[in-house]
Amino acid sequence: MTLRLPLPDGSTRAYTPRTEPLALSPAGPLASRTVFSAAHVVADPYADTTPDSPAAVDWDATLAFRRHLWSHGLGVAEAMDTAQRGMGLDWAGAAELIRRSAAEARAVGGRIACGAGTDQITGGTLAEIRAAYEEQLAVVEESGAQAVLMASRALAAAATGPEDYLDLYGHLLRQAGEPVILHWLGPMFDPALDGYWGSADLDAATETFLDLVGAHPDKVDGIKVSLLDARREVELRRRLPEGVRCYTGDDFHYPELIAGDEQGFSHALLGIFDPLGPLAAEAVRILDTGDAAGFRKTLDPTVALSRHLFRPPTRFYKTGVVFLAWLAGHQEHFTMVGGLQSARSLPHLSRAYELADGLGLFPDPARAESRMRSLLTVYGVPR
């Protein structure tokens, strides 16, 4: 049976869903690349909440999704932007998420890295911002997870220049128990981070960032770059100290960046690897054999879906990620913390369904079709 999918101009068109999914089975760890999926949280749909109240999380479903990712050999990047940090999930909720997910990782032998930021405060002095980072870093390290030092809205507002970033981050790196991942999140993901590293000039900001890494190579496992600029990422990774990894956060150019060139490659820490998890793992296993062409053949077709989910306003990509998790059967509802399920239009969601279905991402295409049909009915789309 066909579906009538709405288009941005107000019309609809017929779409015939796929009948068979891709055959993607769980397997062991990946070898040639370290790959983290930044995972979403599953809201409790029965909680009596409002968009500005603390998040109500369905912990069973949230942890089950992480086990799904680990079963395919992926690492989990926890309490990151994809988990709606600062967009529905506050620090109290993130701290609980970190503790629960880290315990689950230990139980199943999964790799996990967790975000440490400053979202328990909305502003403050540099000393207060440093203390906020220290509090979150302690929670991550006490949980046994690797730390990802996330970009801070409070620091972006309080810093007066590059020196403030170098001083504060240097202090954190010196006290970190284990090497961390430094996260540079661009303003397309969070407008409050404009001018991070002390300058709106990305060339100047890059120099500050590299100065920090170069001063503490023993405390930096890697950098995660989320600027959606493949050229800049390649240039940056070529200048990293020996042993410091580059984890791509570029949801537009990830196949080419992970495949790499004669001078190196990027590992990955990506939000798009939440819905693409099993397929992404399969692609990297092909790359593990040395078959770069096969890797690109497998992963390149997914870029259209990723570009659609991450289209401006990019920060609302989480809505599409959770929507696809619902269609795929990883959760029983399309509800998000903070009410963010309303952040994308029906035509946008319809196109996401079509692209994901075309890739064979839904383990049960009939279930995905039925759920899509129910959403269309709620919106009043005629059959």
Side-chain angles (χ1 to χ4, degrees), residues 30 33-37 73-76 247 258 267-269 273 280-281 284:
L30 308 177
R33 304 290 188 271
T34 300
V35 181
F36 290 98
S37 167
L74 298 165
V76 168
Y247 293 92
I258 296 170
H267 299 272
L269 197 165
F273 282 4
V284 175

Side-chain angles (χ1 to χ4, degrees), residues 45-204:
Y46 301 121
D48 186 13
T49 60
T50 64
D52 56 358
S53 63
V57 177
D58 180 337
W59 293 111
D60 289 343
T62 293
L63 295 176
F65 186 74
R66 279 130 184 86
R67 291 193 297 272
H68 155 73
L69 295 172
W70 285 318
S71 75
H72 285 274
L74 298 165
V76 168
E78 189 56 276
M80 302 288 291
D81 185 59
T82 307
Q84 295 180 244
R85 287 290 292 270
M87 290 185 69
L89 187 71
D90 62 11
W91 167 236
E96 185 172 3
L97 178 63
I98 288 167
R99 294 186 180 104
R100 286 175 178 260
S101 290
E104 197 74 15
R106 289 194 300 273
V108 304
R111 183 164 186 167
I112 189 168
C114 300
T118 66
D119 48 330
Q120 71 270 53
I121 61 175
T122 57
T125 65
L126 291 174
E128 291 169 331
I129 294 166
R130 187 177 77 183
Y133 263 125
E134 290 172 337
E135 177 190 356
Q136 296 202 14
L137 181 60
V139 169
V140 173
E141 291 191 332
E142 288 166 5
S143 77
Q146 182 178 20
V148 181
L149 288 185
M150 301 173 68
S152 163
R153 293 174 179 173
L155 180 55
T160 60
E163 297 77 13
D164 288 337
Y165 288 88
L166 292 172
D167 180 68
L168 192 150
Y169 272 93
H171 177 87
L172 296 173
L173 290 173
R174 283 189 293 272
Q175 66 176 275
E178 300 291 339
V180 308
I181 299 173
L182 295 175
H183 187 190
W184 184 357
L185 189 69
M188 67 287 295
F189 290 94
D190 187 342
L193 299 177
D194 192 28
Y196 214 72
W197 303 113
S199 178
D201 181 332
L202 287 179
D203 290 334

Side-chain angles (χ1 to χ4, degrees), residues 346-361:
L346 183 61
H348 179 91
L349 297 176
S350 296
R351 181 59 176 159
Y353 162 72
E354 182 179 359
L355 290 168
D357 182 65
L359 290 169
L361 293 184

